[in-house]
């Protein structure tokens, strides 16, 4: 029987790519989003790529009554919960905005799943839960470090809420996917990342600089204890990341989970420096980027990348797209957005 998946936050960057991959894999999809950090272009892009008139509900997951109607209207057994705010700096400046939105929306999902006897949930977690890890690469067993932002804290708290809920309520199965640094866009260039205001993340800042929207990229620090002095991260292609969600849902639907709550790292397994990324972007797209070295950004970890063995072995998932192809897709998307 065809399975339906509710994708909360599905108008956003990762959610829209995941909706496409779910449909490609034979699932039906319902998107629920309040467009607080997105617009309808993501949903329209999903519809265009797949040729399916994917249902969209404009709803705030924090609004219990309104969200309940989505559960009443649609017969999904699985949910992928992307809906959250994600700006680390903003979360430090205004923590209650983050605790309210990220915790309440997630608790509503869990409560409504119980009320309506819906079974499977994937939660969008983050490598931010590891902080500055003592050993690299990080495995799922690597201890989490105390969060240094309200955003990071909401990811840790939601992981714990999911663990405790699955332990207590037998009807629930949960998977937390810890994303490393998602970048790139769909090969069609019809969906991608749409940051509002000045981008905080590296790749959107690079593409906007290349497009002339930003004057100059600042590389935050060249004196870290790394081979070239810049920070190391695990940049994961957004389509590969989207596919990890499909296999996570299928694992629960097919009853293949080893335990009812599981955690998987979703990365490539490679640490890439800021300089390497910038030079790769220039080479692949045959352009020169205006950049300068700037002071370190407070709060940055020096280096983090994933041990992906568990996802490789248990989910049968592996990152496939090359960094070059991903960086080309990021630029193709920026050109699409700017009409270049
Ligand atoms: P995004 O902002 O593009 O997508 C999130 C979507 O959720 C947006 O469309 C927004 O409008 C919606 N939303 C927010 N609060 C809502 C609410 N209360 N009700 C309904 N909709 C709501 O962000 P993204 O990059 O696609 O991230 C998706 C998820 O992945 C988030 O939970 C984020 O914390 C997590 N994550 C992202 C990254 C990253 O670097 N992008 C890394 C790790 C984890
Ligand atoms: C990557 C590298 C910067 C911008 C953040 C969140 C994390 C997760 C992913 C959600 C770092 C450097 C950046 C710039 C730069 N999100 N940089 N110039 O910090 O690894 O992770 O996004 O869960 O929680 O903290 O990603 O893209 O901001 O930075 O030199 O203009 O690029 O210092 O080394 P980060 P990022």
């Amino acid at each position: 029987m065809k399975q339906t998946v509710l994708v909360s936050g599905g108008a956003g960057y990762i959610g829209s790519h995941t909706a496409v991959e779910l449909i490609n894999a034979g699932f039906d999809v319902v998107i629920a989003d309040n467009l607080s950090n997105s617009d309808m272009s993501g949903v329209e892009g999903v519809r265009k790529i797949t040729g399916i008139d994917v249902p969209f509900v404009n709803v705030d997951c924090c609004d219990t009554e309104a969200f309940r109607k989505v559960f009443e209207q649609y017969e999904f057994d699985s949910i992928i919960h992307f809906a959250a705010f994600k700006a680390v700096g903003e979360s430090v400046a205004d923590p209650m905005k983050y605790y309210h939105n990220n915790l309440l929306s997630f608790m509503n999902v869990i409560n409504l799943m119980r009320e309506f006897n819906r079974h499977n949930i994937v939660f969008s977690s983050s490598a931010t839960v590891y902080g500055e890890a003592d050993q690299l690469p990080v495995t799922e067993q690597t201890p989490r470090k105390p969060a240094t932002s309200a955003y990071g804290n909401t990811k840790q708290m939601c992981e714990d809420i999911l663990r405790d809920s699955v332990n207590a309520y037998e009807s629930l199965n949960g998977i937390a996917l810890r994303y490393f640094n998602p970048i790139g866009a769909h090969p069609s260039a019809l969906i991608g990342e749409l940051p509002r205001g000045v981008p905080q993340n590296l790749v959107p800042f690079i593409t906007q600089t290349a497009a002339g929207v930003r004057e100059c990229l600042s590389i935050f620090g060249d004196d870290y204890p790394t081979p070239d002095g810049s920070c190391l991260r695990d940049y994961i292609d957004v389509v590969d990341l989207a596919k990890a969600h499909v296999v996570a849902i299928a694992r629960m639907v097919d009853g293949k989970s080893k335990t009812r709550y599981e955690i998987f790292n979703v990365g490539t397994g490679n640490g890439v420096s800021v300089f390497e990324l910038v030079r790769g972007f220039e080479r692949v797209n045959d352009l020169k980027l205006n950049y300068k070295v700037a002071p370190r950004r407070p709060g940055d970890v020096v280096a983090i990348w994933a041990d992906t063995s568990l996802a490789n072995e248990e989910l049968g998932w592996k990152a496939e797209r090359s960094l070059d192809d991903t960086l080309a897709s990021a630029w193709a998307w920026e050109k699409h957005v700017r009409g270049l």
Side-chain angles (χ1 to χ4, degrees), residues 52-326:
I52 306 277
D53 191 19
V54 179
F56 168 76
V57 190
N58 188 334
V59 64
D60 183 346
C61 303
C62 296
D63 180 341
T64 313
E65 289 317 308
F67 202 19
R68 178 177 283 113
K69 292 203 173 70
V70 179
F71 282 73
E72 282 167 359
Q73 193 179 348
Y74 294 100
E75 280 293 327
F76 48 85
D77 200 33
S78 303
I79 297 171
I80 306 179
H81 183 65
F82 293 101
F85 294 148
K86 63 166 181 176
V88 176
E90 185 188 47
S91 82
V92 174
D94 190 0
M96 283 315 290
K97 177 173 175 181
Y98 278 70
Y99 289 124
H100 177 86
N101 194 53
N102 295 6
L103 298 182
L104 193 55
S105 64
F106 189 59
M107 289 190 291
N108 271 344
V109 171
I110 303 265
N111 278 330
L112 288 165
M113 286 179 75
R114 293 174 58 215
E115 187 178 326
F116 287 83
N117 198 30
R118 311 291 167 87
H119 295 105
N120 309 314
I121 176 156
V122 173
F123 171 65
S124 295
S125 192
S126 169
T128 196
V129 301
Y130 295 114
E132 185 85 67
D134 295 329
Q135 270 195 324
L136 292 168
V138 290
T139 75
E140 292 78 357
Q141 309 307 323
T142 301
R144 298 183 323 192
K145 287 277 171 72
T148 54
S149 71
Y151 169 75
N153 208 15
T154 67
K155 291 299 169 194
Q156 297 198 355
M157 291 164 96
C158 285
E159 282 192 354
D160 295 346
I161 289 169
L162 185 54
R163 179 203 58 209
D164 294 349
S165 298
V166 165
N167 282 341
Y169 312 125
E170 277 184 17
S171 59
L172 291 183
N173 307 299
I175 292 181
L177 297 181
R178 290 178 176 159
Y179 316 158
F180 282 66
N181 288 59
I183 62 165
H186 193 264
S188 65
L190 290 171
I191 50 175
E193 193 169 5
L194 266 185
R196 296 193 165 176
V198 181
Q200 305 301 308
N201 294 115
L202 179 60
V203 169
F205 207 106
I206 289 176
T207 57
Q208 290 196 9
T209 306
V213 180
R214 309 283 154 205
E215 214 173 287
C216 181
L217 168 75
S218 292
I219 295 186
F220 297 139
D222 68 348
D223 56 354
Y224 282 103
T226 59
D228 67 17
S230 65
C231 294
L232 301 174
R233 295 288 185 276
D234 187 336
Y235 296 96
I236 173 77
D237 180 85
V238 69
V239 176
D240 281 336
L241 172 59
K243 288 177 180 168
H245 294 79
V246 176
V247 290
I249 288 288
R251 180 177 177 86
M252 290 187 283
V253 168
D254 297 342
K256 298 252 171 71
S257 300
K258 289 248 166 81
T259 52
R260 291 187 12 260
Y261 173 55
E262 296 180 309
I263 301 174
F264 296 100
N265 284 342
V266 189
T268 65
N270 303 315
V272 172
S273 80
V274 180
F275 283 119
E276 284 175 317
L277 197 91
V278 168
R279 288 186 190 126
F281 182 85
E282 290 184 321
R283 177 176 45 74
V284 166
N285 297 310
D286 195 21
L287 44 78
K288 278 270 158 243
L289 203 68
N290 194 17
Y291 67 84
K292 63 174 188 220
V293 174
R296 293 180 177 191
R297 183 171 68 176
D300 270 342
V301 301
V302 179
I304 185 160
W305 66 93
D307 181 325
T308 61
S309 315
L310 195 68
N312 300 158
E313 284 155 26
E314 286 296 324
L315 295 178
W317 172 92
K318 203 173 184 317
E320 284 169 352
R321 211 175 183 193
S322 71
L323 185 58
D324 282 5
D325 286 349
T326 304

